[in-house]
Coordinates of all heavy atoms in Angstrom, one line a residue:
Chain A
A619 N -71.5 14.7 -29.0 CA -71.1 16.1 -29.0 C -71.8 16.8 -30.1 O -71.2 17.0 -31.2 CB -69.6 16.3 -29.0
R620 N -73.0 17.2 -29.9 CA -73.8 17.9 -31.0 C -73.2 19.3 -31.1 O -72.8 20.0 -30.2 CB -75.2 18.0 -30.7 CG -75.9 16.7 -30.9 CD -77.4 16.8 -30.8 NE -78.0 15.6 -31.3 CZ -79.3 15.5 -31.7 NH1 -80.1 16.5 -31.6 NH2 -79.8 14.4 -32.2
R621 N -73.3 19.9 -32.3 CA -73.0 21.2 -32.7 C -71.6 21.6 -32.4 O -71.3 22.7 -31.9 CB -74.0 22.2 -32.0 CG -75.4 21.9 -32.4 CD -76.4 22.9 -32.1 NE -77.7 22.5 -32.5 CZ -78.8 23.3 -32.4 NH1 -78.7 24.5 -32.0 NH2 -80.0 22.8 -32.8
R622 N -70.7 20.7 -32.6 CA -69.2 21.0 -32.4 C -68.4 20.5 -33.6 O -67.2 20.5 -33.6 CB -68.7 20.4 -31.1 CG -69.2 21.2 -29.9 CD -68.9 20.6 -28.6 NE -67.4 20.3 -28.3 CZ -66.6 21.3 -27.9 NH1 -67.0 22.5 -27.9 NH2 -65.3 21.0 -27.7
A623 N -69.1 20.0 -34.6 CA -68.4 19.5 -35.8 C -67.6 20.6 -36.5 O -66.5 20.3 -37.1 CB -69.4 18.9 -36.8
H624 N -68.1 21.8 -36.4 CA -67.4 22.9 -37.1 C -66.0 23.2 -36.4 O -65.3 24.0 -36.9 CB -68.2 24.2 -37.2 CG -68.7 24.7 -35.8 ND1 -69.7 24.1 -35.1 CD2 -68.2 25.6 -35.0 CE1 -69.9 24.7 -34.0 NE2 -69.0 25.7 -33.9
L625 N -65.8 22.6 -35.2 CA -64.6 22.8 -34.5 C -63.7 21.6 -34.7 O -62.6 21.4 -34.1 CB -64.8 23.0 -33.0 CG -65.7 24.2 -32.6 CD1 -66.0 24.1 -31.1 CD2 -65.0 25.5 -33.0
G626 N -64.1 20.7 -35.6 CA -63.4 19.5 -35.9 C -63.6 18.3 -34.9 O -62.9 17.3 -34.8
V627 N -64.7 18.5 -34.0 CA -65.0 17.5 -33.0 C -66.0 16.5 -33.5 O -67.1 16.9 -34.0 CB -65.5 18.2 -31.7 CG1 -65.9 17.2 -30.7 CG2 -64.5 19.2 -31.2
I629 N -68.8 13.4 -33.4 CA -70.0 13.3 -32.6 C -69.8 12.4 -31.4 O -70.3 12.7 -30.3 CB -71.3 12.9 -33.5 CG1 -72.5 13.0 -32.7 CG2 -71.1 11.5 -34.1 CD1 -73.6 13.8 -33.2
T759 N -78.0 4.5 -48.6 CA -78.5 5.4 -49.7 C -77.3 5.7 -50.6 O -76.1 5.6 -50.1 CB -79.1 6.7 -49.1 OG1 -78.2 7.3 -48.2 CG2 -80.4 6.4 -48.4
L760 N -77.6 6.1 -51.8 CA -76.5 6.4 -52.7 C -75.8 7.7 -52.3 O -76.4 8.6 -51.8 CB -77.1 6.7 -54.1 CG -77.2 5.5 -55.1 CD1 -77.9 6.1 -56.4 CD2 -75.8 5.0 -55.4
H762 N -74.0 11.3 -52.9 CA -74.6 12.3 -53.7 C -73.9 12.4 -55.1 O -74.5 12.9 -56.0 CB -74.6 13.7 -53.0 CG -73.3 14.2 -52.7 ND1 -72.5 14.8 -53.7 CD2 -72.5 14.2 -51.6 CE1 -71.4 15.2 -53.2 NE2 -71.4 14.9 -51.9
I799 N -62.4 17.7 -53.6 CA -61.8 18.5 -52.6 C -62.5 18.1 -51.3 O -63.6 17.6 -51.3 CB -62.0 20.0 -52.9 CG1 -63.5 20.4 -53.0 CG2 -61.2 20.4 -54.1 CD1 -63.7 21.9 -53.0
T800 N -61.8 18.4 -50.2 CA -62.3 18.0 -48.8 C -63.7 18.6 -48.6 O -63.9 19.8 -48.8 CB -61.3 18.5 -47.8 OG1 -60.0 17.9 -48.0 CG2 -61.7 18.2 -46.4
E801 N -64.6 17.8 -48.1 CA -65.9 18.3 -47.7 C -66.4 17.6 -46.4 O -65.8 16.6 -46.0 CB -66.9 18.3 -48.8 CG -67.2 17.0 -49.4 CD -68.1 17.0 -50.6 OE1 -68.1 18.0 -51.4 OE2 -68.9 16.1 -50.9
G802 N -67.4 18.1 -45.8 CA -68.0 17.5 -44.6 C -68.5 16.1 -44.9 O -69.0 15.8 -46.0
V803 N -68.3 15.1 -44.0 CA -68.8 13.8 -44.2 C -69.7 13.4 -43.1 O -69.4 13.6 -41.9 CB -67.6 12.7 -44.3 CG1 -67.1 12.7 -45.7 CG2 -66.6 13.0 -43.3
P804 N -70.9 12.8 -43.4 CA -71.9 12.5 -42.4 C -71.5 11.1 -41.7 O -70.7 10.3 -42.2 CB -73.2 12.3 -43.2 CG -72.8 12.0 -44.6 CD -71.4 12.6 -44.8
Q824 N -63.4 11.5 -38.5 CA -63.0 12.9 -38.8 C -64.3 13.6 -39.4 O -65.0 13.0 -40.1 CB -61.8 12.9 -39.8 CG -60.6 12.3 -39.1 CD -59.4 12.2 -40.0 OE1 -59.5 12.6 -41.2 NE2 -58.4 11.6 -39.5
T825 N -64.4 14.9 -39.1 CA -65.6 15.6 -39.5 C -65.6 16.0 -41.0 O -66.7 16.3 -41.6 CB -65.8 16.9 -38.7 OG1 -64.5 17.6 -38.8 CG2 -66.0 16.5 -37.2
T826 N -64.4 16.0 -41.6 CA -64.3 16.3 -43.1 C -63.4 15.2 -43.7 O -62.7 14.6 -43.0 CB -63.7 17.7 -43.3 OG1 -62.4 17.7 -42.7 CG2 -64.5 18.8 -42.8
C834 N -74.2 5.8 -48.0 CA -74.2 6.1 -46.5 C -75.2 5.2 -45.8 O -76.3 5.0 -46.3 CB -74.6 7.6 -46.4 SG -74.3 8.2 -44.7
V835 N -74.8 4.7 -44.7 CA -75.7 3.8 -43.9 C -76.9 4.6 -43.4 O -76.7 5.7 -42.9 CB -74.9 3.1 -42.8 CG1 -75.9 2.2 -41.9 CG2 -73.7 2.4 -43.3
I836 N -78.1 4.1 -43.5 CA -79.3 4.8 -43.0 C -79.2 4.9 -41.4 O -78.6 4.0 -40.8 CB -80.6 4.2 -43.5 CG1 -81.0 2.9 -42.8 CG2 -80.6 4.1 -45.0 CD1 -82.4 2.5 -43.0
Q837 N -79.8 5.9 -40.8 CA -79.8 6.1 -39.4 C -80.3 4.8 -38.6 O -79.7 4.5 -37.6 CB -80.8 7.2 -39.0 CG -80.3 8.6 -39.6 CD -79.1 9.2 -38.9 OE1 -79.2 9.4 -37.7 NE2 -78.1 9.4 -39.7
R838 N -81.3 4.2 -39.1 CA -81.9 3.1 -38.4 C -80.9 1.9 -38.3 O -81.0 1.1 -37.3 CB -83.2 2.6 -39.2 CG -84.0 1.6 -38.5 CD -84.5 2.1 -37.2 NE -85.3 1.0 -36.5 CZ -84.7 0.1 -35.8 NH1 -83.4 0.0 -35.7 NH2 -85.4 -0.8 -35.2
F859 N -84.2 7.5 -50.4 CA -84.3 8.3 -49.2 C -85.7 8.2 -48.6 O -85.8 8.2 -47.3 CB -84.0 9.8 -49.5 CG -82.5 10.0 -49.7 CD1 -82.0 10.3 -51.0 CD2 -81.7 9.9 -48.7 CE1 -80.7 10.5 -51.2 CE2 -80.3 10.1 -48.8 CZ -79.8 10.4 -50.1
A862 N -85.7 5.1 -46.6 CA -84.9 5.3 -45.4 C -85.7 6.1 -44.3 O -85.7 5.8 -43.1 CB -83.6 6.1 -45.7
H863 N -86.4 7.2 -44.7 CA -87.2 8.0 -43.8 C -88.3 7.1 -43.2 O -88.6 7.2 -42.0 CB -87.7 9.2 -44.5 CG -86.7 10.2 -44.9 ND1 -85.7 10.6 -44.0 CD2 -86.5 10.9 -46.0 CE1 -84.9 11.5 -44.6 NE2 -85.3 11.7 -45.8
N866 N -86.7 5.0 -40.6 CA -86.3 5.7 -39.4 C -87.5 6.1 -38.6 O -87.4 6.2 -37.3 CB -85.6 7.0 -39.9 CG -84.3 6.8 -40.5 OD1 -83.7 5.7 -40.3 ND2 -83.8 7.7 -41.3
R867 N -88.6 6.4 -39.2 CA -89.8 6.9 -38.4 C -90.7 5.7 -37.9 O -91.3 5.9 -36.9 CB -90.6 7.8 -39.3 CG -89.8 9.1 -39.5 CD -90.5 10.1 -40.4 NE -89.6 11.2 -40.6 CZ -90.0 12.5 -40.9 NH1 -91.3 12.7 -40.9 NH2 -89.1 13.4 -41.1
R870 N -89.3 2.0 -34.8 CA -88.6 2.4 -33.5 C -89.1 1.5 -32.3 O -90.2 1.2 -32.3 CB -89.0 3.8 -33.2 CG -88.4 4.8 -34.2 CD -88.1 6.1 -33.6 NE -86.7 6.3 -33.3 CZ -86.2 7.1 -32.5 NH1 -87.0 7.8 -31.7 NH2 -84.9 7.2 -32.3
Chain B
L891 N -77.7 18.9 -52.1 CA -77.5 17.5 -52.3 C -77.8 16.7 -51.1 O -77.1 16.9 -50.1 CB -76.1 17.2 -52.9 CG -75.7 18.1 -54.1 CD1 -74.2 18.0 -54.2 CD2 -76.4 17.6 -55.3
P892 N -78.7 15.7 -51.1 CA -78.8 14.8 -49.9 C -77.6 14.0 -49.8 O -77.2 13.2 -50.7 CB -80.0 13.9 -50.3 CG -80.7 14.6 -51.4 CD -79.7 15.4 -52.2
S894 N -76.9 12.1 -46.9 CA -77.3 10.9 -46.2 C -78.8 11.1 -45.9 O -79.4 12.1 -46.2 CB -76.5 10.6 -44.9 OG -76.9 11.6 -43.9
D895 N -79.4 10.1 -45.2 CA -80.8 10.3 -44.8 C -81.0 11.3 -43.7 O -82.1 11.6 -43.3 CB -81.5 9.0 -44.5 CG -80.8 8.3 -43.3 OD1 -79.7 8.6 -43.0 OD2 -81.4 7.3 -42.8
A896 N -79.9 11.8 -43.2 CA -80.0 12.8 -42.1 C -79.0 14.0 -42.4 O -78.6 14.6 -41.4 CB -79.7 12.1 -40.8
S897 N -78.6 14.2 -43.6 CA -77.8 15.3 -43.9 C -77.9 15.9 -45.3 O -78.3 15.1 -46.2 CB -76.3 15.0 -43.6 OG -75.9 14.0 -44.5
L899 N -76.0 18.4 -48.2 CA -74.7 19.1 -48.5 C -75.1 20.3 -49.4 O -75.8 20.2 -50.4 CB -73.8 18.2 -49.3 CG -72.4 18.8 -49.7 CD1 -71.5 18.8 -48.4 CD2 -71.8 18.1 -50.8
R901 N -73.5 22.9 -51.7 CA -72.2 23.1 -52.4 C -72.2 24.3 -53.3 O -73.0 24.5 -54.1 CB -71.8 21.9 -53.2 CG -70.4 22.0 -53.8 CD -70.2 21.0 -54.9 NE -69.8 19.7 -54.4 CZ -70.0 18.6 -55.1 NH1 -70.6 18.6 -56.3 NH2 -69.6 17.5 -54.6
F918 N -72.9 29.1 -42.8 CA -72.6 28.5 -41.5 C -73.0 29.4 -40.4 O -73.7 28.9 -39.4 CB -71.1 28.1 -41.4 CG -70.6 27.9 -40.0 CD1 -71.0 26.8 -39.3 CD2 -69.8 28.9 -39.4 CE1 -70.5 26.7 -38.0 CE2 -69.4 28.8 -38.1 CZ -69.7 27.6 -37.4
H922 N -75.8 28.6 -37.7 CA -75.3 28.4 -36.3 C -76.0 29.4 -35.3 O -76.4 29.0 -34.2 CB -73.8 28.7 -36.3 CG -73.1 28.4 -35.1 ND1 -73.0 27.2 -34.5 CD2 -72.4 29.2 -34.2 CE1 -72.3 27.2 -33.4 NE2 -71.9 28.4 -33.2
S925 N -79.9 28.5 -35.2 CA -80.0 27.3 -34.3 C -81.4 26.6 -34.3 O -82.0 26.4 -33.3 CB -79.7 27.8 -32.9 OG -79.5 26.7 -32.0
P926 N -81.9 26.2 -35.5 CA -83.2 25.5 -35.5 C -83.1 24.2 -34.7 O -82.1 23.6 -34.6 CB -83.4 25.3 -37.0 CG -82.0 25.4 -37.6 CD -81.2 26.3 -36.8
L929 N -81.3 21.1 -36.0 CA -79.9 21.1 -36.3 C -79.1 20.3 -35.4 O -79.1 20.4 -34.2 CB -79.4 22.6 -36.3 CG -78.0 22.8 -36.7 CD1 -77.7 22.4 -38.1 CD2 -77.6 24.2 -36.4
V930 N -78.3 19.3 -36.0 CA -77.4 18.4 -35.2 C -76.0 18.9 -35.3 O -75.3 19.1 -34.3 CB -77.6 17.0 -35.6 CG1 -76.5 16.1 -34.9 CG2 -79.0 16.5 -35.4
N931 N -75.5 19.2 -36.5 CA -74.1 19.6 -36.7 C -74.0 20.3 -38.0 O -74.7 20.1 -39.0 CB -73.2 18.4 -36.7 CG -72.5 18.1 -35.3 OD1 -72.0 19.1 -34.7 ND2 -72.5 16.9 -34.9
L932 N -73.0 21.2 -38.0 CA -72.6 21.9 -39.3 C -71.1 21.6 -39.6 O -70.3 21.7 -38.7 CB -72.8 23.4 -39.1 CG -74.2 23.9 -38.9 CD1 -74.3 25.3 -38.4 CD2 -75.0 23.7 -40.2
H933 N -70.8 21.2 -40.8 CA -69.5 20.9 -41.2 C -69.1 21.8 -42.4 O -69.3 21.4 -43.5 CB -69.3 19.4 -41.7 CG -69.8 18.3 -40.9 ND1 -69.1 17.2 -40.5 CD2 -71.0 18.1 -40.3 CE1 -69.8 16.4 -39.8 NE2 -71.0 16.9 -39.6
P934 N -68.6 23.0 -42.1 CA -68.1 23.8 -43.2 C -66.8 23.2 -43.8 O -66.1 22.5 -43.1 CB -67.8 25.2 -42.5 CG -68.0 25.0 -41.1 CD -68.3 23.6 -40.8
A935 N -66.6 23.4 -45.1 CA -65.4 23.0 -45.7 C -65.0 24.1 -46.7 O -65.5 25.2 -46.6 CB -65.6 21.6 -46.4
S938 N -68.2 24.0 -49.5 CA -69.5 23.4 -49.2 C -69.7 23.4 -47.7 O -68.8 23.5 -46.9 CB -69.5 22.0 -49.7 OG -68.5 21.2 -49.0
L940 N -71.9 21.0 -45.0 CA -72.7 19.8 -44.7 C -73.6 20.1 -43.5 O -73.1 20.5 -42.4 CB -71.9 18.6 -44.4 CG -72.7 17.3 -44.2 CD1 -73.3 16.7 -45.5 CD2 -71.8 16.2 -43.5
P945 N -83.7 13.5 -38.5 CA -84.7 13.2 -39.5 C -86.1 13.0 -38.8 O -87.1 12.9 -39.6 CB -84.2 11.9 -40.1 CG -83.3 11.3 -39.0 CD -82.7 12.5 -38.3
H946 N -86.2 13.0 -37.5 CA -87.5 13.0 -36.9 C -88.2 14.4 -36.9 O -89.3 14.5 -36.6 CB -87.5 12.4 -35.5 CG -87.0 11.0 -35.5 ND1 -85.8 10.6 -35.2 CD2 -87.7 9.8 -35.8 CE1 -85.7 9.2 -35.4 NE2 -86.9 8.8 -35.7
A948 N -87.2 17.1 -39.3 CA -87.1 17.8 -40.6 C -86.8 16.9 -41.7 O -86.4 15.7 -41.5 CB -86.1 18.9 -40.5
H950 N -85.1 16.7 -45.9 CA -84.1 17.4 -46.8 C -84.7 18.7 -47.3 O -84.0 19.8 -47.3 CB -83.7 16.5 -47.9 CG -82.9 15.4 -47.5 ND1 -83.3 14.1 -47.5 CD2 -81.6 15.3 -47.2 CE1 -82.3 13.3 -47.1 NE2 -81.2 14.0 -46.9
L1011 N -62.4 24.0 -39.9 CA -61.7 23.1 -39.0 C -62.1 21.6 -39.3 O -63.3 21.4 -39.5 CB -61.9 23.4 -37.5 CG -61.3 24.8 -37.1 CD1 -62.4 25.9 -37.2 CD2 -60.6 24.8 -35.8
G1012 N -61.2 20.7 -39.2 CA -61.5 19.3 -39.5 C -60.3 18.5 -39.2 O -59.3 19.0 -38.6
F1013 N -60.3 17.2 -39.6 CA -59.2 16.3 -39.4 C -59.0 15.9 -37.9 O -59.0 14.7 -37.6 CB -57.9 16.8 -39.9 CG -56.7 16.0 -39.7 CD1 -56.6 14.7 -40.2 CD2 -55.7 16.4 -38.9 CE1 -55.5 13.9 -39.9 CE2 -54.5 15.6 -38.6 CZ -54.5 14.4 -39.1
A1014 N -58.9 16.9 -37.0 CA -58.8 16.6 -35.6 C -59.4 17.9 -34.9 O -59.4 18.9 -35.5 CB -57.4 16.4 -35.2
P1015 N -59.9 17.7 -33.6 CA -60.4 18.9 -32.9 C -59.4 20.0 -32.9 O -58.2 19.8 -32.5 CB -60.6 18.4 -31.5 CG -60.8 16.9 -31.7 CD -60.0 16.5 -32.8
G1016 N -59.8 21.2 -33.4 CA -58.9 22.4 -33.4 C -58.0 22.5 -34.6 O -57.2 23.4 -34.6
A1074 N -60.1 23.1 -28.7 CA -60.9 22.9 -29.9 C -61.5 24.2 -30.4 O -61.7 24.3 -31.6 CB -62.1 21.9 -29.5

Side-chain angles (χ1 to χ4, degrees):
Chain A
R620 283 188 168 201
R621 302 195 183 185
R622 286 171 60 75
H624 60 279
L625 303 172
V627 178
I629 186 124
T759 52
L760 268 176
H762 66 78
I799 63 170
T800 298
E801 60 186 30
V803 279
Q824 295 173 7
T825 52
T826 58
C834 194
V835 179
I836 73 168
Q837 297 286 301
R838 186 65 184 77
F859 285 110
H863 291 314
N866 293 337
R867 290 177 187 209
R870 296 208 102 202
Chain B
L891 307 163
S894 73
D895 58 346
S897 66
L899 185 76
R901 186 195 275 156
F918 158 72
H922 188 61
S925 193
L929 181 62
V930 174
N931 263 314
L932 295 165
H933 307 233
S938 63
L940 181 75
H946 295 100
H950 287 107
L1011 294 97
F1013 174 64

